[in-house]
Amino acid sequence: MNPPEGFIDNPFPFYDALLSSAPVLAQPDGSVLLSRHADLDRIYRDTTLYSSDKKAVFGPKFGPGSPLFEHHTTSLVFSDPPLHTRVRKIMTSALTPRAIARMEPGLIQTVDLLLDRLEDKRQVDLIEDYAATIPIQIIGNLLDVPVDEREPLRDWSLAILGALEPALSAKQLEDGHAAVRDFKEYLADLVARRRAAPGDPETDVLTRLIRGEGADEKLSEIELLQNCIFILNAGHETTTNLIGNGLALLHDHPEQRQRLMDDPSLINSAVEEVLRFRSPNQFGNRETTADVVIDGRSIAKGTNLHLCIGAANRDPAVFPDSGRFDISRKPNRHLAFAGGPHVCAGLTLARLEGRVALSRFVTRFPDFQLSDERVRGGRMRFRGYASLPASL
């Protein structure tokens, strides 16, 4: 699926056209693009007719047995039971509401330290200096990655997730393979150190993964390493995008920023509206396991479905005045975290990071201004900014 001209910069007119005229759209390669909220919601909940396993798709894309193929067919998001069940049980047993609550003081401390540093600069890049730094530290703490070893994590993450774009250059493909190899080598060493000196399983997710706590069966070494990569990646770029998109939206809608400043209790619904209006992850995928009919159209077994989250979150059948950014919107049944058994395991943590990062930033810098030199991430699947220059 290749995007039309102008799509990367502004996909939303295309989404509106899909919803009104072609909610089930066949692609030249035989795949099908779906955009309605009801269709995506139903598909996310049905793991019988719609599979998350991507071996058939990723073999030709990455090369069978390649580093990217091994990673993306072993990690949680692109797997079906029983692997998905085993890994998810471990993660959810570690990310309980009580465990998340214990992370909040450390998150606030991290955010306030970053804000202090921003105050000293006044001219900043809100992605590099703020939004991208927060999830690396929080997820690094979750796996207890030594602070002085975290620097390469962001570049590895960007290269691996970037390989999920529909069309790749030879360099992007090789960068992705190299990132998986380097990440695995680093994590193999970290896991060996953690086996020799286990952490507290109540707070150290890596120790829980090694022990298999919360699941009926331990992970193999490959499953362990690849899902550690997944945790670090999934918690990084999407949360960076959530924070960066939120700051940009509050800047571009000053009346909404003022509402938040006047009523800080709106932060919960504000985060949900950022997730809906500028979903950090714009697309998901499933493969049909049998012949299905969607909107009266027959779709054959084995068809790759592109689930357009960004469009579904603008569906006027679910969201009245869907093109308006409204931080008090309720109800807000967005699909930014997908749904069903594959609903994002870290959604509570992501929401907490978004709330703390956005509310404390706006409180500290109520008059921040973005420059005209903002740089979008340039991706189809993940929507965010590579750079947000600002004056504080």
Side-chain angles (χ1 to χ4, degrees):
M1 184 179 68
N2 292 315
E5 185 177 352
F7 182 91
I8 299 296
D9 288 337
N10 184 14
F12 302 104
F14 295 96
Y15 291 165
D16 293 341
L18 286 171
L19 287 163
S20 62
S21 303
V24 181
L25 183 63
Q27 300 296 296
D29 63 359
S31 62
V32 177
L33 174 63
L34 303 174
S35 53
R36 285 189 305 206
H37 187 284
D39 290 333
L40 268 65
D41 188 45
R42 183 180 66 258
I43 289 168
Y44 278 134
R45 297 175 188 279
D46 188 341
T47 58
T48 301
L49 290 177
Y50 305 99
S51 169
S52 296
D53 189 296
K54 295 295 180 294
K55 293 183 181 67
V57 174
F58 288 159
K61 183 180 178 73
F62 300 134
S66 68
L68 282 168
F69 179 84
E70 179 185 275
H71 170 67
H72 285 306
T73 58
T74 308
S75 65
L76 181 69
V77 71
F78 295 126
S79 64
D80 289 330
L83 173 60
H84 177 267
T85 305
R86 286 190 288 130
V87 178
R88 189 176 178 88
K89 277 185 177 180
I90 298 171
M91 290 186 190
T92 54
S93 69
L95 294 174
T96 62
R98 180 180 175 187
I100 299 296
R102 284 202 302 265
M103 296 179 195
E104 186 168 0
L107 171 60
I108 291 172
Q109 184 179 29
T110 296
V111 167
D112 285 349
L113 178 60
L114 291 173
L115 293 173
D116 290 343
R117 292 175 182 171
L118 293 182
E119 201 159 42
D120 293 337
K121 292 183 178 183
R122 308 305 294 183
Q123 297 292 326
V124 301
D125 182 338
L126 295 182
I127 300 301
E128 181 178 350
D129 298 326
Y130 191 61
T133 303
I134 294 167
I136 282 291
Q137 299 307 324
I138 299 308
I139 302 299
N141 291 345
L142 200 64
L143 295 178
D144 199 15
V145 176
V147 174
D148 61 354
E149 297 176 8
R150 297 178 185 181
E151 185 176 350
L153 300 182
R154 184 185 181 198
D155 287 342
W156 286 338
S157 173
L158 291 173
I160 293 168
L161 292 177
L164 293 173
E165 289 294 285
L168 299 176
S169 67
K171 185 178 187 306
Q172 287 175 309
L173 191 61
E174 183 47 45
D175 286 349
H177 288 317
V180 174
R181 286 192 292 265
D182 292 345
F183 218 151
K184 273 183 67 179
E185 182 179 353
Y186 169 72
L187 285 170
D189 176 67
L190 182 65
V191 166
R193 284 183 274 159
R194 197 60 50 81
R195 289 188 194 279
D200 179 358
E202 288 296 315
T203 57
D204 177 11
V205 172
L206 180 54
T207 295
R208 294 184 76 94
L209 286 165
I210 291 170
R211 293 182 176 181
E213 296 199 11
D216 300 326
E217 181 183 346
K218 287 187 177 182
L219 302 174
S220 70
E221 191 72 6
I222 293 297
E223 292 168 348
L224 172 63
L225 296 178
Q226 296 295 3
N227 280 287
C228 286
I229 293 176
F230 166 74
I231 292 170
L232 288 161
N233 288 351
H236 170 237
E237 182 165 11
T238 51
T239 307
T240 298
N241 290 351
L242 165 59
I243 297 168
N245 291 347
L247 293 172
L249 285 168
L250 289 171
H251 172 272
D252 296 343
H253 297 81
E255 76 290 351
Q256 299 296 318
R257 173 169 44 170
Q258 189 61 51
R259 289 181 70 196
L260 181 59
M261 292 165 57
D262 292 343
D263 184 1
S265 70
L266 287 172
I267 187 59
N268 290 336
S269 57
V271 167
E272 299 307 309
E273 182 68 344
V274 172
L275 287 163
R276 181 195 75 85
F277 198 76
R278 290 289 186 273
S279 301
N281 183 10
Q282 294 278 302
F283 285 89
N285 296 89
R286 291 293 186 272
E287 185 175 298
T288 57
T289 62
D291 294 347
V292 298
V293 176
I294 300 177
D295 194 33
R297 300 192 179 200
S298 297
I299 299 175
K301 175 183 178 180
T303 298
N304 187 28
L305 305 179
H306 306 287
L307 309 182
C308 189
I309 297 167
N313 284 345
R314 295 173 68 89
D315 191 336
V318 179
F319 306 102
D321 200 5
S322 62
R324 182 169 61 92
F325 180 64
D326 176 6
I327 65 168
S328 62
R329 183 182 294 273
K330 287 185 180 180
N332 195 338
R333 294 175 46 238
H334 64 77
L335 296 173
F337 292 120
H342 273 272
V343 68
C344 175
L347 80 173
T348 304
L349 179 57
R351 283 171 164 143
L352 175 63
E353 290 180 77
R355 290 197 302 269
V356 171
L358 293 177
S359 63
R360 297 182 88 79
F361 183 93
V362 171
T363 299
R364 183 78 70 95
F365 304 114
D367 300 317
F368 78 98
Q369 293 294 314
L370 298 181
S371 80
D372 295 330
E373 299 174 354
R374 65 180 82 175
V375 179
R376 295 197 182 278
R379 299 190 185 188
M380 183 176 176
R381 187 182 184 100
F382 298 99
R383 186 156 190 85
Y385 292 91
S387 177
L388 275 179
S391 59
L392 305 178

